[in-house]
Structures are given as structure tokens and as C-alpha cells.
Amino acid sequence: MIKIPERVFVATSFIDLRMSFDRLAGVVRSALGDDPRGDALFVFHNQRRTMVKMLWHDTRGYCIFAKRLDRGTYRIPLAIPVGATRVTVSHRELALLLEGIDAKLLRDARRAASAR
């Protein structure tokens, strides 16, 4: 059975998702300032927010999960403190993020917010 770590961090900036285990672990060390072998899961996204990769270490080795949406974009947390390289999310928020949202709904929400 796959054990998902309790702590989940989402990177606030996009990266090249062609990276695999070692390069993603390097991003965790250098850009996010954390230990990739610790008890945390790290979520990365591409520039268009159509694909995510998750990296975590299960005490025996690195695990990667990748998902690409057919339509729409991923909802990366919008409440990002200034200068933050990552934000913490709950398991529920991670599940919602992985569901993705329809691009039309996102455009409509942005239009409504800018009209206010």
C-alpha cells in the first residue's frame, strides 16, 4: 500500500516537468529549501497548469505521481504569501487540486472578480 505523507507542499512557481526523480529532489533541496527524503510530499506544476507531478520518499525510495488533464487547468492555491516558494495544503485540498477545474469556469470566475 502506498503511504502518502502527512505534510503536503505545493511549489508556487512552475517548473519543467520533464524532470524525474533526482532533478525533482534537487529542486526540493535548492528552490524549496527542504529535505526530499523527509516526511513530506511535494507538488509541482507546469507553466500552463495542465500537468502536475508529485514527489515523496517512502523510506525505501522516491515515488513520483504524474497527472495531465485532458481539459481545464489545475487550481494552484491562490493565497500565496509574498516571496513564498511553497504553500502547505491539506490532504483534502490536494484531492481538490488533483480533480482540476474547467478552464471556462476559471475564466468566468476571473471576469466576475475583476468586474467587482
Side-chain angles (χ1 to χ4, degrees), residues 3-9 38-42 56-57 88-92 94:
K3 180 188 175 290
I4 302 297
E6 287 299 314
R7 297 182 314 142
V8 178
F9 298 111
D39 187 30
L41 181 141
F42 301 92
W56 72 97
H57 195 272
T88 305
V89 297
S90 68
H91 281 231
R92 176 71 180 133
L94 177 62

Side-chain angles (χ1 to χ4, degrees), residues 53-66:
K53 269 192 180 178
M54 299 188 308
L55 174 76
W56 72 97
H57 195 272
D58 71 353
T59 69
R60 299 184 81 189
Y62 287 118
C63 302
I64 286 183
F65 173 84

Side-chain angles (χ1 to χ4, degrees), residues 22-90:
D22 295 326
R23 288 191 63 201
L24 285 175
V27 169
V28 170
R29 277 188 212 92
S30 63
L32 303 183
D34 208 331
D35 179 15
R37 291 179 181 228
D39 187 30
L41 181 141
F42 301 92
V43 182
F44 302 96
H45 62 90
N46 64 350
Q47 185 172 8
R48 292 182 4 217
R49 296 182 178 182
T50 57
M51 185 172 175
V52 295
K53 269 192 180 178
M54 299 188 308
L55 174 76
W56 72 97
H57 195 272
D58 71 353
T59 69
R60 299 184 81 189
Y62 287 118
C63 302
I64 286 183
F65 173 84
K67 184 174 181 183
R68 184 183 69 205
L69 292 175
D70 291 334
R71 289 178 271 140
T73 58
Y74 284 105
R75 181 187 59 85
I76 306 305
L78 299 176
I80 300 171
V82 176
T85 58
R86 65 185 186 184
V87 291
T88 305
V89 297
S90 68

